[in-house]
Coordinates of all heavy atoms in Angstrom, one line a residue:
M1 N -10.8 10.5 -144.1 CA -9.6 9.7 -144.5 C -10.1 8.4 -145.2 O -11.0 7.8 -144.6 CB -8.8 9.3 -143.4 CG -8.0 10.5 -142.9 SD -6.5 10.8 -143.9 CE -5.7 11.9 -142.9
D2 N -9.4 7.9 -146.2 CA -9.8 6.6 -146.7 C -9.6 5.5 -145.5 O -8.7 5.6 -144.8 CB -8.9 6.1 -147.9 CG -9.1 7.1 -149.1 OD1 -10.2 7.6 -149.1 OD2 -8.3 7.1 -150.0
G3 N -10.5 4.5 -145.6 CA -10.4 3.6 -144.6 C -11.2 3.7 -143.3 O -11.0 3.1 -142.3
G4 N -12.1 4.7 -143.4 CA -12.8 5.0 -142.0 C -13.6 3.8 -141.6 O -13.8 3.8 -140.3
Y5 N -13.9 2.9 -142.4 CA -14.8 1.9 -141.9 C -13.9 0.4 -141.9 O -14.4 -0.6 -141.6 CB -15.9 1.6 -142.7 CG -17.0 2.5 -142.6 CD1 -17.1 3.7 -143.5 CD2 -17.9 2.5 -141.5 CE1 -18.0 4.6 -143.2 CE2 -18.7 3.6 -141.3 CZ -18.9 4.6 -142.2 OH -19.8 5.6 -142.0
A6 N -12.6 0.7 -142.0 CA -11.7 -0.4 -141.9 C -11.3 -0.8 -140.6 O -11.6 0.1 -139.6 CB -10.4 -0.2 -142.7
E7 N -10.6 -1.9 -140.3 CA -10.3 -2.2 -138.9 C -9.2 -1.3 -138.5 O -9.1 -0.9 -137.3 CB -9.7 -3.7 -138.8 CG -9.6 -4.2 -137.4 CD -9.3 -5.7 -137.4 OE1 -9.1 -6.3 -138.5 OE2 -9.0 -6.1 -136.3
Y8 N -8.2 -0.9 -139.3 CA -7.2 0.1 -139.0 C -7.2 1.2 -140.0 O -7.5 1.0 -141.1 CB -5.9 -0.6 -139.0 CG -5.7 -1.7 -137.9 CD1 -5.9 -3.0 -138.2 CD2 -5.4 -1.3 -136.6 CE1 -5.8 -4.0 -137.3 CE2 -5.2 -2.3 -135.7 CZ -5.5 -3.6 -136.0 OH -5.4 -4.6 -135.1
M9 N -6.8 2.4 -139.5 CA -6.8 3.6 -140.5 C -5.8 4.5 -139.9 O -5.4 4.5 -138.7 CB -8.1 4.2 -140.6 CG -8.7 4.8 -139.4 SD -10.2 5.8 -139.6 CE -9.6 7.3 -140.3
V10 N -5.4 5.5 -140.8 CA -4.4 6.6 -140.5 C -5.3 7.8 -140.2 O -6.3 8.1 -141.0 CB -3.4 6.8 -141.5 CG1 -2.5 8.0 -141.1 CG2 -2.5 5.6 -141.7
A11 N -5.1 8.6 -139.1 CA -5.9 9.8 -138.9 C -5.0 10.9 -138.2 O -4.1 10.5 -137.5 CB -7.1 9.5 -138.0
Y12 N -5.4 12.1 -138.3 CA -4.8 13.2 -137.7 C -5.1 13.0 -136.2 O -6.2 12.8 -135.7 CB -5.3 14.6 -138.0 CG -4.8 14.9 -139.6 CD1 -5.8 14.8 -140.5 CD2 -3.5 15.1 -139.8 CE1 -5.4 15.1 -141.8 CE2 -3.1 15.4 -141.2 CZ -4.0 15.4 -142.2 OH -3.7 15.6 -143.5
V13 N -4.1 13.2 -135.4 CA -4.2 12.9 -133.9 C -5.3 13.9 -133.3 O -6.1 13.6 -132.4 CB -2.9 13.1 -133.2 CG1 -2.3 14.4 -133.1 CG2 -3.1 12.5 -131.7
D14 N -5.4 15.2 -133.8 CA -6.3 16.0 -133.3 C -7.7 15.8 -133.7 O -8.7 16.6 -133.4 CB -5.8 17.6 -133.5 CG -5.9 17.9 -134.9 OD1 -6.0 16.9 -135.8 OD2 -5.5 19.1 -135.2
S15 N -7.9 14.8 -134.6 CA -9.3 14.4 -135.0 C -9.8 13.2 -134.2 O -10.9 12.8 -134.4 CB -9.3 14.1 -136.5 OG -8.9 15.1 -137.3
L16 N -9.0 12.8 -133.2 CA -9.3 11.5 -132.5 C -9.9 11.8 -131.1 O -9.6 13.0 -130.6 CB -8.1 10.7 -132.3 CG -7.4 10.2 -133.6 CD1 -6.1 9.5 -133.2 CD2 -8.3 9.4 -134.4
S17 N -10.8 11.1 -130.6 CA -11.3 11.2 -129.3 C -10.9 9.9 -128.6 O -11.1 8.8 -129.1 CB -12.7 11.4 -129.3 OG -13.2 12.6 -130.0
S18 N -10.5 10.0 -127.3 CA -10.2 8.9 -126.5 C -11.5 8.3 -125.9 O -12.3 9.2 -125.4 CB -9.2 9.3 -125.4 OG -9.0 8.3 -124.5
I19 N -11.8 7.0 -125.9 CA -13.0 6.6 -125.5 C -12.7 5.8 -124.1 O -11.8 4.8 -124.1 CB -13.5 5.5 -126.4 CG1 -13.9 6.3 -127.7 CG2 -14.8 4.9 -125.9 CD1 -14.3 5.3 -128.9
P20 N -13.2 6.3 -123.0 CA -12.8 5.7 -121.7 C -13.3 4.2 -121.6 O -14.2 3.8 -122.3 CB -13.7 6.5 -120.7 CG -14.1 7.7 -121.4 CD -14.1 7.4 -122.9
N21 N -12.6 3.4 -120.9 CA -12.9 1.9 -120.8 C -14.4 1.7 -120.3 O -15.0 0.7 -120.7 CB -11.9 1.3 -119.9 CG -10.5 1.1 -120.6 OD1 -10.4 1.2 -121.7 ND2 -9.5 1.1 -119.7
E22 N -14.9 2.6 -119.5 CA -16.2 2.5 -119.0 C -17.3 2.6 -120.0 O -18.4 2.2 -119.7 CB -16.5 3.4 -117.9 CG -15.5 3.6 -116.7 CD -14.3 4.5 -117.2 OE1 -14.6 5.8 -117.3 OE2 -13.3 4.0 -117.3
I23 N -17.0 3.0 -121.1 CA -18.0 3.3 -122.2 C -17.8 2.1 -123.2 O -16.8 1.9 -123.8 CB -17.9 4.6 -122.9 CG1 -18.1 5.7 -121.8 CG2 -18.9 4.8 -124.1 CD1 -18.0 7.2 -122.5
S24 N -18.9 1.4 -123.4 CA -18.9 0.3 -124.4 C -18.8 0.9 -125.8 O -19.1 2.0 -126.1 CB -20.1 -0.6 -124.2 OG -21.2 0.1 -124.9
V25 N -18.4 -0.1 -126.8 CA -18.2 0.3 -128.2 C -19.6 0.7 -128.6 O -19.7 1.6 -129.5 CB -17.6 -0.9 -129.0 CG1 -17.5 -0.4 -130.5 CG2 -16.3 -1.2 -128.4
M26 N -20.6 -0.1 -128.3 CA -22.0 0.3 -128.7 C -22.5 1.7 -128.3 O -23.1 2.4 -129.0 CB -23.0 -0.8 -128.1 CG -22.8 -2.2 -128.6 SD -23.2 -2.5 -130.2 CE -25.0 -2.6 -130.0
E27 N -22.1 2.0 -127.0 CA -22.4 3.4 -126.6 C -21.6 4.5 -127.2 O -22.2 5.5 -127.7 CB -22.3 3.5 -125.1 CG -23.2 2.7 -124.2 CD -22.8 2.6 -122.8 OE1 -21.6 2.4 -122.5 OE2 -23.7 2.7 -121.8
A28 N -20.4 4.2 -127.5 CA -19.5 5.2 -128.1 C -19.8 5.4 -129.5 O -19.7 6.5 -130.1 CB -18.1 4.7 -127.9
A29 N -20.4 4.4 -130.2 CA -20.7 4.5 -131.7 C -21.7 5.7 -131.9 O -21.5 6.3 -133.0 CB -21.3 3.2 -132.1
S30 N -22.7 5.9 -131.0 CA -23.6 6.9 -131.2 C -22.9 8.4 -131.1 O -23.5 9.4 -131.4 CB -24.8 6.8 -130.3 OG -24.3 7.0 -128.9
L31 N -21.7 8.4 -130.6 CA -21.1 9.8 -130.3 C -20.0 10.1 -131.4 O -19.3 11.2 -131.3 CB -20.4 9.6 -129.0 CG -21.3 9.5 -127.7 CD1 -20.5 9.4 -126.5 CD2 -22.1 10.8 -127.6
M32 N -19.8 9.3 -132.4 CA -18.8 9.5 -133.4 C -18.8 10.8 -134.1 O -18.7 11.8 -133.5 CB -18.8 8.3 -134.3 CG -18.3 7.0 -133.7 SD -16.6 7.3 -133.2 CE -16.4 5.9 -132.0
C33 N -19.4 10.9 -135.3 CA -19.4 12.0 -136.1 C -20.3 13.1 -135.4 O -19.8 14.2 -135.2 CB -19.8 11.8 -137.4 SG -19.6 13.2 -138.5
A34 N -21.5 12.8 -135.0 CA -22.5 13.8 -134.4 C -21.9 14.3 -133.1 O -22.0 15.5 -132.8 CB -23.8 13.1 -134.2
G35 N -21.4 13.4 -132.3 CA -20.8 13.8 -130.9 C -19.6 14.7 -131.0 O -19.5 15.7 -130.4
K36 N -18.6 14.3 -131.9 CA -17.4 15.0 -132.1 C -17.7 16.4 -132.7 O -17.1 17.4 -132.2 CB -16.4 14.2 -133.0 CG -15.2 15.0 -133.3 CD -14.2 14.7 -132.2 CE -12.8 15.4 -132.5 NZ -11.9 15.3 -131.4
T37 N -18.7 16.5 -133.6 CA -18.9 17.7 -134.3 C -19.5 18.8 -133.3 O -19.1 19.9 -133.2 CB -20.0 17.5 -135.4 OG1 -19.4 16.6 -136.3 CG2 -20.4 18.8 -136.1
T38 N -20.5 18.3 -132.5 CA -21.1 19.2 -131.5 C -20.2 19.6 -130.3 O -20.1 20.7 -130.0 CB -22.4 18.6 -131.0 OG1 -22.2 17.2 -130.6 CG2 -23.5 18.6 -132.0
F39 N -19.4 18.5 -129.9 CA -18.5 18.8 -128.7 C -17.4 19.8 -129.3 O -17.1 20.7 -128.5 CB -17.9 17.5 -128.4 CG -17.0 17.6 -127.1 CD1 -17.8 17.6 -125.9 CD2 -15.7 17.8 -127.1 CE1 -17.0 17.8 -124.7 CE2 -15.0 17.9 -126.0 CZ -15.6 17.9 -124.7
S40 N -16.9 19.7 -130.5 CA -15.9 20.6 -131.0 C -16.4 22.0 -131.0 O -15.7 22.9 -130.7 CB -15.3 20.1 -132.3 OG -14.7 19.0 -132.2
A41 N -17.6 22.1 -131.5 CA -18.2 23.5 -131.6 C -18.3 24.1 -130.3 O -18.0 25.2 -130.2 CB -19.7 23.3 -132.2
I42 N -18.7 23.4 -129.2 CA -18.8 24.0 -127.9 C -17.4 24.3 -127.4 O -17.2 25.4 -126.8 CB -19.6 22.9 -127.0 CG1 -21.0 22.8 -127.5 CG2 -19.4 23.4 -125.6 CD1 -21.6 21.6 -126.8
K43 N -16.5 23.4 -127.6 CA -15.2 23.6 -127.1 C -14.5 24.8 -127.7 O -13.7 25.5 -127.1 CB -14.3 22.3 -127.3 CG -13.1 22.2 -126.7 CD -12.5 20.9 -126.8 CE -11.0 20.9 -126.6 NZ -10.4 19.6 -127.1
N44 N -14.8 25.0 -129.0 CA -13.9 26.0 -129.8 C -14.7 27.3 -129.9 O -14.2 28.2 -130.4 CB -13.6 25.4 -131.1 CG -12.7 24.2 -131.1 OD1 -11.7 24.3 -130.3 ND2 -12.9 23.2 -131.8
C45 N -15.9 27.4 -129.4 CA -16.6 28.7 -129.5 C -16.1 29.6 -128.3 O -15.5 29.1 -127.3 CB -18.2 28.6 -129.5 SG -18.9 28.2 -127.8
K46 N -16.5 30.8 -128.3 CA -16.0 31.7 -127.2 C -16.9 31.7 -126.0 O -16.5 32.2 -124.9 CB -16.0 33.2 -127.8 CG -14.9 33.4 -128.8 CD -14.8 34.8 -129.4 CE -13.6 34.9 -130.3 NZ -13.6 36.2 -131.0
A47 N -18.0 31.0 -126.1 CA -18.9 31.0 -124.9 C -18.2 30.0 -123.9 O -17.4 29.2 -124.1 CB -20.2 30.4 -125.2
R48 N -18.6 30.4 -122.5 CA -17.9 29.7 -121.5 C -19.1 29.3 -120.5 O -20.1 29.9 -120.5 CB -16.9 30.6 -120.6 CG -15.6 30.8 -121.5 CD -14.9 29.5 -121.6 NE -13.7 29.5 -122.5 CZ -13.7 28.8 -123.7 NH1 -15.0 28.3 -124.2 NH2 -12.8 28.9 -124.7
P49 N -18.8 28.2 -119.6 CA -19.9 27.8 -118.8 C -20.5 29.0 -118.0 O -19.8 29.9 -117.5 CB -19.1 26.9 -117.7 CG -18.1 26.3 -118.6 CD -17.7 27.5 -119.6
G50 N -21.9 29.1 -117.9 CA -22.6 30.1 -117.3 C -23.2 31.2 -118.3 O -24.0 31.8 -118.1
D51 N -22.5 31.0 -119.6 CA -23.1 31.9 -120.7 C -24.4 31.2 -121.3 O -24.6 29.9 -121.2 CB -22.1 32.0 -121.8 CG -20.9 32.8 -121.5 OD1 -20.9 33.5 -120.5 OD2 -19.8 32.8 -122.2
L52 N -25.3 32.1 -121.9 CA -26.4 31.6 -122.6 C -26.0 31.1 -123.9 O -25.4 31.9 -124.7 CB -27.5 32.7 -122.6 CG -28.7 32.4 -123.3 CD1 -29.6 31.4 -122.4 CD2 -29.6 33.6 -123.4
V53 N -26.3 29.9 -124.4 CA -26.1 29.4 -125.7 C -27.4 28.8 -126.2 O -28.2 28.3 -125.5 CB -25.0 28.4 -125.6 CG1 -23.6 28.9 -125.4 CG2 -25.3 27.2 -124.8
A54 N -27.6 29.0 -127.6 CA -28.7 28.5 -128.2 C -28.4 27.3 -129.1 O -27.3 27.4 -129.8 CB -29.4 29.6 -129.0
I55 N -29.2 26.3 -129.3 CA -29.0 25.2 -130.1 C -30.3 25.3 -131.1 O -31.3 25.2 -130.7 CB -29.2 23.9 -129.4 CG1 -28.1 23.7 -128.1 CG2 -29.0 22.7 -130.4 CD1 -26.7 23.9 -128.7
Q56 N -29.9 25.4 -132.4 CA -30.9 25.6 -133.4 C -31.2 24.2 -133.9 O -30.3 23.5 -134.7 CB -30.3 26.5 -134.5 CG -31.2 26.4 -135.8 CD -32.5 27.1 -135.7 OE1 -32.6 28.3 -135.4 NE2 -33.6 26.4 -136.0
G57 N -32.4 23.6 -133.7 CA -32.8 22.4 -134.3 C -32.4 21.2 -133.4 O -31.3 21.0 -133.0
I58 N -33.4 20.6 -132.9 CA -33.2 19.4 -131.9 C -33.3 18.1 -132.6 O -34.3 17.4 -132.5 CB -34.2 19.5 -130.6 CG1 -34.2 21.0 -130.1 CG2 -33.8 18.6 -129.6 CD1 -32.8 21.5 -129.7
G59 N -32.4 17.9 -133.4 CA -32.3 16.7 -134.2 C -31.1 15.8 -133.7 O -30.8 15.8 -132.4
G60 N -30.6 15.0 -134.6 CA -29.5 14.1 -134.2 C -28.3 14.9 -133.5 O -27.8 14.5 -132.5
L61 N -27.8 16.0 -134.1 CA -26.8 16.8 -133.5 C -27.4 17.6 -132.4 O -26.7 17.7 -131.2 CB -26.1 17.6 -134.6 CG -24.9 17.0 -135.3 CD1 -25.3 15.8 -136.1 CD2 -24.1 18.1 -136.0
G62 N -28.4 18.2 -132.6 CA -28.9 19.2 -131.6 C -29.2 18.5 -130.2 O -28.9 19.2 -129.2
H63 N -29.7 17.3 -130.2 CA -30.0 16.7 -128.8 C -28.8 16.4 -128.2 O -28.8 16.4 -126.9 CB -31.0 15.5 -129.1 CG -30.4 14.2 -129.3 ND1 -29.7 13.8 -130.4 CD2 -30.2 13.2 -128.5 CE1 -29.2 12.6 -130.3 NE2 -29.6 12.1 -129.1
L64 N -27.7 16.2 -128.9 CA -26.4 15.9 -128.2 C -25.8 17.2 -127.7 O -25.3 17.3 -126.6 CB -25.4 15.3 -129.2 CG -25.7 13.8 -129.5 CD1 -24.7 13.3 -130.6 CD2 -25.7 12.9 -128.3
A65 N -26.0 18.3 -128.5 CA -25.4 19.6 -128.1 C -26.1 20.1 -126.8 O -25.4 20.6 -125.9 CB -25.6 20.6 -129.2
V66 N -27.4 19.9 -126.8 CA -28.1 20.3 -125.6 C -27.5 19.5 -124.2 O -27.3 20.1 -123.3 CB -29.7 20.0 -125.7 CG1 -30.3 20.1 -124.4 CG2 -30.3 20.9 -126.6
Q67 N -27.4 18.2 -124.4 CA -26.8 17.5 -123.3 C -25.4 18.0 -123.0 O -25.0 18.1 -121.7 CB -26.8 16.0 -123.6 CG -28.3 15.4 -123.7 CD -28.2 14.0 -124.3 OE1 -27.9 13.1 -123.5 NE2 -28.4 13.8 -125.5
F68 N -24.4 18.1 -123.9 CA -23.1 18.5 -123.7 C -23.1 19.9 -123.0 O -22.5 20.0 -121.9 CB -22.3 18.7 -125.0 CG -22.0 17.3 -125.6 CD1 -21.8 17.2 -127.0 CD2 -21.7 16.2 -124.8 CE1 -21.6 16.0 -127.6 CE2 -21.5 14.9 -125.4 CZ -21.3 14.9 -126.9
E69 N -24.0 20.8 -123.6 CA -23.9 22.1 -122.9 C -24.5 22.2 -121.5 O -23.8 22.9 -120.7 CB -24.7 23.2 -123.9 CG -23.9 23.2 -125.2 CD -24.5 24.5 -125.9 OE1 -25.5 25.1 -125.6 OE2 -23.7 24.9 -126.9
S70 N -25.6 21.6 -121.3 CA -26.2 21.7 -120.0 C -25.2 21.0 -119.0 O -25.1 21.5 -117.9 CB -27.6 21.1 -120.0 OG -27.5 19.7 -120.3
K71 N -24.7 19.9 -119.3 CA -23.7 19.1 -118.4 C -22.5 20.0 -118.2 O -21.8 19.9 -117.1 CB -23.5 17.8 -118.8 CG -24.7 16.9 -118.6 CD -24.5 15.4 -119.1 CE -25.5 14.5 -118.7 NZ -26.8 15.0 -119.0
A72 N -22.0 20.8 -119.1 CA -20.8 21.6 -119.0 C -21.2 23.0 -118.2 O -20.3 23.7 -118.0 CB -20.3 21.9 -120.4
G73 N -22.5 23.2 -117.9 CA -22.7 24.4 -117.2 C -23.1 25.5 -117.9 O -23.2 26.7 -117.4
F74 N -23.5 25.4 -119.2 CA -24.0 26.5 -119.9 C -25.5 26.7 -119.7 O -26.1 25.7 -119.3 CB -23.9 26.3 -121.5 CG -22.4 26.2 -122.0 CD1 -21.7 25.1 -122.0 CD2 -21.8 27.4 -122.4 CE1 -20.3 25.1 -122.4 CE2 -20.6 27.4 -122.9 CZ -19.8 26.3 -122.9
L75 N -26.1 27.9 -119.9 CA -27.4 28.1 -119.8 C -28.0 27.8 -121.3 O -27.7 28.6 -122.1 CB -27.8 29.5 -119.4 CG -27.1 30.0 -118.1 CD1 -27.4 31.4 -117.8 CD2 -27.5 29.1 -117.0
T76 N -28.7 26.7 -121.4 CA -29.0 26.2 -122.8 C -30.3 26.5 -123.2 O -31.4 26.2 -122.5 CB -28.8 24.6 -122.7 OG1 -27.5 24.4 -122.2 CG2 -28.9 24.0 -124.1
L77 N -30.5 27.0 -124.5 CA -31.7 27.5 -125.0 C -31.9 26.5 -126.2 O -31.0 26.4 -127.1 CB -31.6 28.9 -125.4 CG -32.8 29.6 -126.2 CD1 -33.9 29.9 -125.4 CD2 -32.3 30.8 -127.0
A78 N -33.0 25.8 -126.3 CA -33.3 24.9 -127.4 C -34.3 25.6 -128.3 O -35.4 26.1 -127.9 CB -33.8 23.5 -126.9
I79 N -33.9 25.7 -129.6 CA -34.8 26.2 -130.6 C -35.3 25.2 -131.5 O -34.6 24.4 -132.1 CB -34.1 27.3 -131.5 CG1 -33.6 28.5 -130.5 CG2 -35.0 27.9 -132.5 CD1 -32.7 29.5 -131.2
S80 N -36.7 25.1 -131.7 CA -37.3 24.1 -132.5 C -38.4 24.6 -133.3 O -38.9 25.8 -132.9 CB -37.8 22.9 -131.6 OG -38.1 21.8 -132.3
R81 N -38.8 24.0 -134.4 CA -39.9 24.5 -135.2 C -41.3 24.5 -134.6 O -42.3 25.1 -135.0 CB -39.9 23.9 -136.6 CG -38.7 24.3 -137.4 CD -38.7 23.5 -138.7 NE -38.4 22.0 -138.2 CZ -38.3 21.1 -139.1 NH1 -38.6 21.3 -140.3 NH2 -38.0 19.8 -138.6
G82 N -41.4 23.7 -133.6 CA -42.7 23.4 -132.8 C -42.4 23.2 -131.4 O -41.3 23.3 -130.9
N83 N -43.5 22.9 -130.6 CA -43.2 22.5 -129.3 C -43.3 21.1 -129.0 O -43.4 20.6 -127.8 CB -44.3 23.3 -128.3 CG -45.6 22.9 -128.7 OD1 -46.0 21.9 -129.4 ND2 -46.6 23.7 -128.1
N84 N -43.3 20.3 -129.9 CA -43.4 18.8 -129.7 C -42.1 18.1 -129.2 O -42.2 17.1 -128.6 CB -43.8 17.9 -131.0 CG -42.8 18.2 -132.1 OD1 -42.2 19.3 -132.3 ND2 -42.7 17.1 -132.9
K85 N -41.1 19.0 -129.2 CA -39.8 18.5 -128.6 C -39.5 19.1 -127.4 O -38.3 18.9 -126.7 CB -38.6 18.6 -129.6 CG -38.7 17.7 -130.8 CD -37.6 17.9 -131.7 CE -37.9 17.1 -133.0 NZ -36.8 17.3 -134.0
E86 N -40.4 20.0 -126.8 CA -40.0 20.7 -125.6 C -39.7 19.8 -124.4 O -38.8 20.0 -123.7 CB -41.3 21.6 -125.2 CG -41.0 22.5 -124.0 CD -41.9 23.5 -123.6 OE1 -42.9 23.7 -124.4 OE2 -41.9 24.1 -122.6
A87 N -40.6 18.8 -124.3 CA -40.4 17.9 -123.0 C -39.1 17.2 -123.2 O -38.3 17.1 -122.2 CB -41.5 16.9 -122.9
L88 N -38.8 16.7 -124.4 CA -37.4 16.1 -124.6 C -36.1 17.1 -124.2 O -35.3 16.6 -123.6 CB -37.3 15.5 -126.0 CG -35.9 14.9 -126.3 CD1 -35.6 13.7 -125.6 CD2 -35.9 14.7 -127.9
A89 N -36.3 18.2 -124.9 CA -35.3 19.2 -124.7 C -35.1 19.5 -123.1 O -33.9 19.7 -122.8 CB -35.6 20.5 -125.4
R90 N -36.2 19.7 -122.5 CA -36.0 19.9 -121.0 C -35.4 18.8 -120.3 O -34.6 19.0 -119.4 CB -37.3 20.4 -120.4 CG -37.8 21.8 -120.9 CD -39.1 22.2 -120.1 NE -39.6 23.5 -120.7 CZ -39.1 24.6 -120.3 NH1 -38.0 24.8 -119.5 NH2 -39.6 25.8 -120.9
E91 N -35.9 17.6 -120.7 CA -35.3 16.4 -120.1 C -33.9 16.2 -120.3 O -33.0 15.8 -119.4 CB -36.1 15.2 -120.7 CG -35.8 13.8 -120.0 CD -36.5 12.7 -120.8 OE1 -37.6 12.8 -121.2 OE2 -35.7 11.7 -120.9
L92 N -33.3 16.7 -121.5 CA -32.0 16.7 -121.8 C -31.1 17.7 -121.2 O -29.9 17.8 -121.2 CB -31.7 16.7 -123.3 CG -32.4 15.5 -124.1 CD1 -32.2 15.7 -125.6 CD2 -31.8 14.2 -123.7
G93 N -31.8 18.7 -120.6 CA -31.0 19.8 -119.8 C -31.3 21.2 -120.3 O -30.7 22.1 -119.8
A94 N -32.2 21.4 -121.3 CA -32.5 22.8 -121.9 C -33.2 23.6 -120.7 O -34.1 23.0 -120.1 CB -33.2 22.8 -123.1
L95 N -32.9 24.7 -120.5 CA -33.5 25.6 -119.6 C -34.8 26.3 -120.2 O -35.7 26.6 -119.5 CB -32.6 26.6 -119.0 CG -31.5 26.2 -118.1 CD1 -30.6 27.3 -117.6 CD2 -32.0 25.4 -116.8
H96 N -34.6 26.6 -121.5 CA -35.7 27.3 -122.1 C -35.9 26.7 -123.4 O -35.0 26.2 -124.2 CB -35.2 28.8 -122.4 CG -34.8 29.5 -121.2 ND1 -35.6 30.1 -120.2 CD2 -33.5 29.9 -120.7 CE1 -35.0 30.6 -119.3 NE2 -33.6 30.5 -119.6
Ligands
LIG101 N1 -25.6 13.2 -138.0 C1 -24.3 13.3 -138.0 O1 -23.5 12.4 -137.6 C2 -23.7 14.7 -138.6 C3 -22.3 14.8 -138.3 C4 -21.8 16.1 -138.7 C5 -22.6 17.0 -139.3 N2 -23.9 16.8 -139.6 C6 -24.7 17.8 -140.3 O2 -25.3 18.5 -139.2 C7 -26.7 18.9 -139.8 C8 -27.7 18.3 -138.9 O3 -27.6 16.9 -138.8 P1 -28.6 16.1 -138.0 O4 -28.2 14.6 -138.1 O5 -28.7 16.7 -136.7 O6 -30.0 16.2 -138.7 P2 -31.6 16.1 -138.2 O7 -31.5 15.0 -137.2 O8 -32.4 16.0 -139.4 O9 -31.8 17.4 -137.4 C9 -31.8 18.7 -138.1 C10 -32.8 19.7 -137.3 O10 -32.8 20.8 -138.0 C11 -34.1 21.5 -137.7 N3 -34.6 21.8 -139.1 C12 -34.8 21.1 -140.2 N4 -35.4 21.8 -141.2 C13 -35.4 23.1 -140.6 C14 -36.0 24.3 -141.2 N5 -36.4 24.4 -142.5 N6 -36.0 25.3 -140.4 C15 -35.4 25.3 -139.2 N7 -35.0 24.2 -138.6 C16 -35.0 23.1 -139.3 C17 -35.0 20.3 -137.1 O11 -35.1 20.6 -135.8 P3 -36.6 20.7 -135.1 O12 -37.4 19.5 -135.5 O13 -36.2 20.7 -133.6 O14 -37.1 22.0 -135.6 C18 -34.2 19.1 -137.4 O15 -34.5 18.2 -136.3 C19 -26.8 18.3 -141.2 O16 -26.4 19.5 -142.0 C20 -25.8 17.2 -141.2 O17 -25.2 17.1 -142.4 C21 -24.5 15.6 -139.1

């Protein structure tokens, strides 16, 4: 929508996320587009907690998806082009 960086804007209500008071604006900023995109994908897919899910690419979105999925109780598989992100992926909650 026009005005995304303005102080006020008009948006569809189902595109909005409520930010709890305990989360600062600085912390919430990192969850905007990347967080909403990955969270929506998890919420709207047919997989349910306990299912095995794979995250392709541990980048800006992928590292959030690994955290959301592992905390929601999915069995999380992180797929990367090398093993240099293995320690990070496991730290974020990936099982494999
Ligand atoms: N950032 C946002 O806020 C945002 C929001 C909505 C949508 N998007 C879209 O989501 C996509 C990912 O964005 P991002 O910010 O997460 O990008 P990113 O940080 O560059 O991460 C993309 C990951 O994809 C993997 N990758 C890159 N080239 C590959 C290749 N040739 N083969 C296999 N894997 C490859 C890499 O993972 P490994 O290094 O682990 O192999 C890389 O870390 C983009 O299309 C972007 O436009 C981004």
Side-chain angles (χ1 to χ4, degrees):
M1 290 277 194
D2 289 344
Y5 290 99
E7 190 174 357
Y8 296 97
M9 63 173 283
V10 176
Y12 293 110
V13 69
D14 60 357
S15 297
L16 301 176
S17 296
S18 174
I19 300 170
N21 290 335
E22 309 84 67
I23 298 180
S24 73
V25 183
M26 296 289 280
E27 290 170 317
S30 63
L31 294 174
M32 291 298 163
C33 190
K36 179 82 180 176
T37 300
T38 45
F39 190 79
S40 295
I42 295 165
K43 192 173 157 194
N44 295 315
C45 77
K46 291 183 178 165
R48 288 294 168 255
D51 290 345
L52 179 70
V53 291
I55 307 298
Q56 166 73 57
I58 310 305
L61 268 69
H63 91 289
L64 289 174
V66 168
Q67 292 175 79
F68 290 147
E69 292 198 348
S70 62
K71 285 181 173 48
F74 292 89
L75 307 177
T76 308
L77 173 82
I79 300 174
S80 190
R81 290 169 295 172
N83 60 7
N84 62 329
K85 294 180 183 171
E86 180 176 352
L88 171 67
R90 289 189 186 279
E91 187 184 320
L92 297 178
L95 291 178
H96 306 284

